[in-house]
Amino acid sequence: MNQTIYKELCRRKNEGKRSFAVLIDPDKVTEADGLASSLMDEYIRLSVAAKVDYFLVGGSLVISNHLDECVQHIKRNCDIPVILFPGSPSQISRYADALLYLSLISGRNPELLIGQHVVSAPAVKQSGLEIMPTGYIVVDGGAPTTVSYISNASPVPSDKNEIAMCTAMAGEMLGMKLIYMDAGSGARRPITETMIHAVARHIEVPLIVGGGIIEPEKAYRNCKAGANVIVVGNAIEKDASLIREMSDAVHSVLNVEG
Ligand code: 1GP
């Protein structure tokens, strides 16, 4: 299987480079008829200018059926790789470059650990997408988020660094190629740097961190703590000019740490 995106993620990690990903919710950037909104074009334009590394496309609850149109529009208009971040097995588009194949390892809901994967396995395989097995760790962000409600699983308490650390270690030893720590979209409290550091220093695979990051300074500190990829969605929806500031903050960190 083609592993272009994953190899690039690992290369960037090994070189001490951090990556910035803009999260796009197809519901928010397409019109009722599926056509791209001017907002989507603005995101693409600003992201290209700011040298954004990846687009993550998806969400815990995608209501419209415009995923394909959204991904195709991005692919037609820029070279930034598109990685699917699906909230359910229906969120697969063969037009994307890669798929975060998420297993909710912080939860104890068998459907989200393996059940939905079994049901969707043939379709996922046929998609031809680059599959990136990802241990998904949801951390309490101070408010019930869509992901915690939909997943019907309790998040890791925000101050229990050792639980997050052991969960990530177990995920890596089970074969996960990425660990994604998420406080949930729109989290009131993003994941602490101490938790990020505790996890990062115990795993070898790239670490993605997102949820409630609204300030470039926080993105910077997360990278210093050991995050390899920073994901921002909500804050950019409120102020698209943050794309540049976040991207610059993330890319300003260049060192191999913890
Ligand atoms: C959510 O990690 C992502 O799954 C991004 O969160 O929308 O709060 O930036 P925000």
Side-chain angles (χ1 to χ4, degrees), residues 199-236:
V199 168
R201 57 197 287 268
H202 285 92
I203 59 171
E204 303 289 322
V205 297
L207 175 62
I208 306 172
V209 175
I213 300 170
I214 57 173
E215 288 163 356
E217 173 63 19
K218 175 60 176 154
Y220 174 84
R221 290 199 309 268
N222 285 355
C223 291
K224 293 293 277 183
N228 301 107
V229 183
I230 297 292
V231 181
V232 177
N234 260 270
I236 285 168

Side-chain angles (χ1 to χ4, degrees), residues 4 15-16 25 47 62 69 79 83 99 106 143 182-183 190 193 225 230 234 242-243 245 256:
T4 315
E15 290 176 356
D25 181 341
S47 298
V62 174
E69 286 95 333
D79 295 326
I83 302 175
L99 168 72
S106 60
D182 195 349
E193 289 113 67
I230 297 292
N234 260 270
L242 275 174
I243 292 175
E245 293 176 44
V256 187

